[in-house]
Amino acid sequence: MKYKRKITSFQINNGFTGSYYLPYSIGLLSSYYNKYSQNKDYEFDQIIYKREPISKMVNLLYKSDVILFSTYVWNINISLEIAKRIKNKNKNSVTIFGGPSVPDNAKQFLEEFSFIDIACHQEGERKITNILDNLGNGDWRHTPGISFLEKNNFVLNKDVPRIRDLSAVPSPYLSGAFEKL
């Protein structure tokens, strides 16, 4: 059996009286990748969505090959701190940030937070699938709607039109994306 590289996802949500929102955006990414990817070398593993001590979350995440951070106003600071600590422990992990807290022009964001490898802009389903399908060759220049630093040069790839047919995006509830939770 071929070893599948681990993708860990991080979308911290706030808990209310012991209840948590499921990490819907991460579920969408996982479901889309599993349906459309041409490269099944990656496996969505853990989804971290409950707030825990930072050291505990770093220990859960740092051995992953790829870590997806879905960022919002309520989790951007903890996401940045965890990503920084992960890069200090595992320089080979690929850290990808997306969500509303990633600026559309991310040059300063990526320069300030150099431990982030890729910033995804707007919806991420096709982008994450494309990144993972091409991760082995390290060429992200053909992945639309992302930005990154390449030898200290800022690269912003032109985006594609948004997905209009929402039935093309599999439901994470029906695809099994949340079964491990």
Side-chain angles (χ1 to χ4, degrees):
M1 183 174 139
K2 186 176 179 182
Y3 167 74
K4 290 195 177 221
R5 298 181 75 184
K6 276 179 38 173
I7 304 168
T8 303
S9 309
F10 184 86
Q11 183 180 335
I12 289 297
N13 293 309
N14 293 319
F16 302 97
T17 64
S19 298
Y20 291 87
Y21 292 108
L22 288 175
Y24 184 67
S25 63
I26 293 294
L28 289 172
L29 299 177
S30 167
S31 298
Y32 195 90
Y33 170 80
N34 286 329
K35 181 172 183 178
Y36 294 109
S37 174
Q38 302 302 306
N39 173 4
K40 301 293 186 190
D41 290 344
Y42 294 89
E43 173 181 50
F44 278 77
D45 190 37
Q46 294 185 71
I47 301 175
I48 309 297
Y49 66 100
K50 292 180 181 178
R51 193 174 294 263
E52 300 276 354
I54 290 175
S55 59
K56 180 178 180 180
M57 290 187 279
V58 169
N59 284 333
L60 287 171
L61 296 168
Y62 85 93
K63 291 182 182 176
S64 296
D65 299 299
V66 178
I67 305 161
L68 306 178
F69 291 86
S70 183
T71 58
Y72 299 84
V73 68
W74 56 83
N75 72 6
I76 185 66
N77 290 332
I78 194 169
S79 298
L80 290 167
E81 182 62 26
I82 288 170
K84 180 173 84 175
R85 290 186 190 191
I86 286 169
K87 274 296 187 181
N88 285 335
K89 288 183 90 162
N90 180 1
K91 301 240 184 278
N92 295 322
S93 65
V94 177
T95 53
I96 303 172
F97 271 60
S101 287
V102 173
D104 287 337
N105 182 349
K107 183 178 190 301
Q108 183 178 350
F109 180 74
L110 290 169
E111 289 172 345
E112 183 177 349
F113 305 111
S114 59
F115 47 84
I116 299 172
D117 295 305
I118 301 172
C120 281
H121 309 287
Q122 307 302 321
E123 61 192 20
E125 291 82 0
R126 291 179 288 178
K127 296 160 190 155
I128 291 299
T129 299
N130 190 299
I131 290 167
L132 296 173
D133 283 350
N134 294 293
L135 196 58
N137 65 24
D139 184 8
W140 302 323
R141 290 191 164 269
H142 304 292
T143 299
I146 67 168
S147 56
F148 55 94
L149 295 176
E150 183 176 71
K151 298 179 184 168
N152 293 324
N153 293 314
F154 177 70
V155 177
L156 172 61
N157 294 344
K158 184 178 177 186
D159 212 344
V160 292
R162 295 188 66 132
I163 297 172
R164 294 282 181 220
D165 179 8
L166 295 182
S167 68
V169 181
S171 166
Y173 300 107
L174 300 175
S175 70
F178 298 133
E179 282 184 15
K180 290 182 181 179
L181 299 181

